[in-house]
Every structure is written in C-alpha cells, then in structure tokens.
Amino acid sequence: MRVVDIIRTSEGGRWTIPVMVEAARRGHEAVLMMPEIDQRLGCEAREAGVTVQRCSARLEGAPSLTPWNLGKLRRQIDGIDPDVVLYQLIQTALVVRAATLGAGYARVHQVPGPLYLDHPGIRAVERQLARLDDYVICGDRSTASRYVGLGVSPERVSAIPFGIDVDRFSEDFGDRAYLRQQWGVPVDNFVVVMYAYFYPPRGSLTSGLGVKGHEVLAAAWQRFAARHDDVSLVLVGDGWGEAGDQYRATLINQFLHECPPGSLTFINGQNDGRPFYALADLSVSPSMSESLGAPIEAGAAGVPSIVSDAGGLPETVTDYSGWVFPRGDDAALDARLEQAHAAFREGRLEQMGKVAQTHMRDMVDARKTAAAVVDVLEKAARTHAS
C-alpha cells in the first residue's frame, strides 16, 4: 500500500520516522510530508531512508482552511495516490480532514497530546469531526478514553505511545561526578532534573499555570530545599517561542528569589536530555496537561520519576518506579520529593530506576510502537477498501 504521513512541523515530530521506516520495511511506499524538508525533521528522516516531500499547502491557521489552500493540498495528496493518510496535531487534522472529504483513501488521526480537548469549543467540534477519521490513534490510554467519550467507537480507537529509541537512552555518558561538575552541580547531592520547554499558561485550560507546571515545582521546591542542604534542582529547557522566552525569564527571577541560594541550576540551548538524565537521581514532570512526556526518556535512561496525574503521565510509572501527585498541588509534590529523598538516602533509587527502564522497554520501544501503528494503517486501508 501507499502511506502518506502529514505533519505541520519541520523541527519536531521525530516520532514519525520509525513509523515510516517500519512501513517501508514491510514493503509499503511511505512518504512523510512537512512544510520544509531541509530542516531537522526532513534531514533526520532522509538519513533514515524515508522519502520526504515538501507540503505545498499551509497546514495551520485560518488561511489553511480557504478553498484554494484545501484544493492545493488535495491535489498534492491525490498525486501520490495513497491508500491511507496519517496526520498528527489538531491543526493539521482539521486541514487534512477538510481537504480530503469524499476521498477514496483511509484517514487516520494520530493524537500526540490531549490539551486541546480541554477547550469546550474545540471538544464540541472534535466530537463531530472525529467521525471523519477511519481510526484514531492516541498516545496514551487516558486520551483514548476521552475520544471514546466523544462518541468514537472503541473499535476505531487505539492507545499506542509515541515511541523512542530506548537503546539510545541507555548509552553510557561517562562518570556521573564529572557530568555534575561540568554543570556546576554538587557531586554528592540529591539531584532532581526537569527537562521540558517553558510553555506559557493557557488560561483556564491549565488553571492559569504554565503547561508544564513549572510554578508548581517552584512552590514545592522552595519548601523542600529549605529543609535539606544536600539537594539540587536542574531545570533544562528553552522557552517555546517568544512568549515562552518571556515566561521562562519571569520564572527564573521567581525561582532565584524564592528558593534557597545554590539549590537551582538553569540550562538552555540543549536538544538532548540524555546527559542530564545521566547526572540525575530523579526526574520530575509536574505538567498540567500531558500525554506521556519526559518520564519515558527518563525511565529509558534508568531514572525514576515524580509525575502529576495529568493525562497519560501516571501510565509512565509503577508503584516501584516512581510517584504520582495531583496536578497543581505543590504541597503533594513537596511530599513526594520528601519520599524520593528518603529513597535516595536509603539507596533505593537505583533499583527503582532499573524498574523504570524495564517498564519503558515494554511500553515505548519505538520498534514495537511503530509496528503497532503500521498495523492500524494496514487495517484502515483494508477496511476502507472493502
């Protein structure tokens, strides 16, 4: 069969590559379509042997829904003559659905995260438009249940994580003490890492807090670090866009004024989280909305996590590999940090990290998840053609 995967980013979306590689391995013709083919995603896809194509139409914003733009996209897709079209990210889903009305090929919507479903207006629209998808693939069980709640038949909904190269995260990055010295972190401290972009608040969708919950961690860390002199928090991440940069700068100022001196390290300009998980004792993900997020990479690197109960995050930890707290509850996060610190002092975190690593190998190995996605694409093509 012929598969077309359409995504509106040319930098992110690396999860598309293993799926296209697996489709080609099975003998299918697979094309990955994006706005610009010479940026990060296109370059990495070509290095993996994936056929890439520049999308000639807009894939987001109001102009993307004009008849002229939709017709342009439809002609490009029809020119490939696919059996199934796969699309990610809600803006792209809206455009592709509209452009391919009445098409003779199957359509599969792959959902990276649930944030947009928290908006009542978008949720109402998606309740209707999801009927246009032959199948919906959600990145976690929580989001899959929400689509079933919108009226999509359970037989048309799958929960398949966006996989990662788990072997890549288990590589040896050298001496932990050296890594800590390199980034100015005390060698013997209990080191907590949060690896995430700084996304600004989304109003009521995130209760006025940043999407990743940095403020929640700030409030918890202020109290936790005041009780311990052997703890360090490493916050790794850039701002997402100009608003994110401003938000990050504001939070840095807040953190530095509220938290004990020397307990914080801010790092930006890093596209690889592996060195930071290599120096960490614990990862924390206090998100207000999320699919699986950073804990899958932390776990694959052998690092246990504290996660909020947002979306699919609780699916990333077990009772033996991490802790869960109610989103937005900084007091509960403080208590979980205390439990993790006790585990650190008692020498239990290393074993928890091993359990986390096994859990991630079972859950998010890209070879397994890509195979599961291609299974759905094949099923969609067969069902649509019958």
Side-chain angles (χ1 to χ4, degrees):
M1 67 178 182
R2 290 192 186 92
V3 181
V4 175
D5 189 355
I6 305 173
I7 190 165
R8 67 176 174 83
T9 178
S10 300
E11 290 291 338
R14 297 165 70 187
W15 63 76
T16 58
I17 297 175
V19 174
M20 295 291 96
V21 169
E22 173 63 16
R25 189 193 67 80
R26 298 189 189 189
H28 305 310
E29 296 180 37
V31 177
L32 179 57
M33 190 184 298
M34 67 200 75
E36 300 295 336
I37 64 173
D38 291 325
Q39 295 181 16
R40 182 179 180 183
L41 179 60
C43 293
E44 292 188 9
R46 284 197 299 271
E47 289 176 3
V50 175
T51 300
V52 299
Q53 189 174 117
R54 179 181 177 276
C55 185
S56 60
R58 291 192 57 155
L59 295 172
E60 61 180 321
S64 65
L65 294 172
T66 62
W68 180 84
N69 190 74
L70 294 176
K72 192 174 185 180
L73 180 59
R74 175 63 175 267
R75 288 190 294 273
Q76 185 173 7
I77 296 172
D78 286 354
I80 301 174
D81 191 24
D83 297 285
V84 58
V85 176
L86 175 67
Y87 37 91
Q88 296 95 1
L89 306 176
I90 187 61
Q91 298 95 328
T92 303
L94 295 174
V95 177
V96 175
R97 287 164 173 164
T100 57
L101 286 172
Y105 35 81
R107 293 178 291 187
V108 178
H109 181 197
Q110 191 175 20
V111 181
L115 179 60
Y116 63 91
L117 293 176
D118 292 331
H119 190 290
I122 296 177
R123 190 165 59 246
V125 171
E126 190 66 359
R127 182 185 297 274
Q128 303 302 318
L129 294 185
R131 300 175 183 179
L132 301 174
D133 305 319
D134 289 87
Y135 286 88
V136 180
I137 301 174
C138 300
D140 59 84
R141 296 193 300 271
S142 173
T143 304
S145 68
R146 296 187 68 172
Y147 265 92
V148 172
L150 290 177
V152 181
S153 169
E155 291 74 26
R156 292 172 44 222
V157 180
S158 300
I160 304 173
F162 284 68
I164 61 171
D165 182 349
V166 291
D167 293 334
R168 184 170 172 267
F169 283 89
S170 61
E171 293 176 5
D172 184 4
F173 274 80
D175 182 65
R176 172 179 283 194
Y178 171 77
L179 289 171
R180 291 185 173 187
Q181 290 172 343
Q182 183 181 8
W183 293 104
V185 179
V187 171
D188 295 324
N189 272 17
F190 170 57
V191 180
V192 180
V193 167
M194 180 176 177
Y195 183 81
Y197 280 109
F198 286 75
Y199 290 92
R202 298 290 182 90
S204 61
L205 296 185
T206 56
S207 303
L209 301 173
V211 176
K212 297 295 184 178
H214 284 91
E215 300 95 330
V216 181
L217 178 57
W221 191 261
Q222 178 183 3
R223 296 192 296 271
F224 172 72
R227 298 193 301 270
H228 302 282
D229 59 6
D230 65 339
V231 299
S232 298
L233 175 61
V234 182
L235 292 154
V236 187
D238 298 331
W240 185 260
E242 184 176 349
D245 287 336
Q246 295 172 356
Y247 167 69
R248 181 179 185 271
T250 299
L251 284 189
I252 288 177
N253 195 45
Q254 173 189 338
F255 268 81
L256 291 177
H257 279 87
E258 294 180 352
C259 296
S263 70
L264 297 172
T265 301
F266 291 90
I267 300 170
N268 64 348
Q270 304 297 313
N271 293 320
D272 188 352
R274 293 177 298 167
F276 302 101
Y277 292 130
L279 63 80
D281 295 298
L282 179 77
S283 170
V284 62
S285 294
S287 299
M288 301 301 295
S289 181
E290 192 71 85
S291 180
L292 300 182
I296 63 173
E297 295 186 350
V303 179
S305 290
I306 296 175
V307 303
S308 77
D309 63 358
L313 284 176
E315 300 169 31
T316 65
V317 301
T318 72
D319 291 340
Y320 306 101
S321 70
W323 297 264
V324 182
F325 73 97
R327 78 196 80 177
D329 189 339
D330 56 87
L333 175 54
D334 180 17
R336 302 298 184 274
L337 287 168
E338 198 64 55
Q339 291 169 354
H341 184 260
F344 165 75
R345 303 309 296 175
E346 294 164 8
R348 292 187 285 114
L349 282 186
E350 184 176 355
Q351 179 58 35
M352 293 182 71
K354 292 178 180 178
V355 174
Q357 195 166 52
T358 299
H359 183 43
M360 288 305 104
R361 285 191 173 276
D362 291 339
M363 183 179 185
V364 296
D365 186 329
R367 291 163 292 198
K368 297 177 182 179
T369 61
V373 170
V374 177
D375 286 345
V376 173
L377 298 179
E378 292 174 340
K379 182 178 179 181
R382 289 194 304 269
T383 303
H384 195 88
S386 62

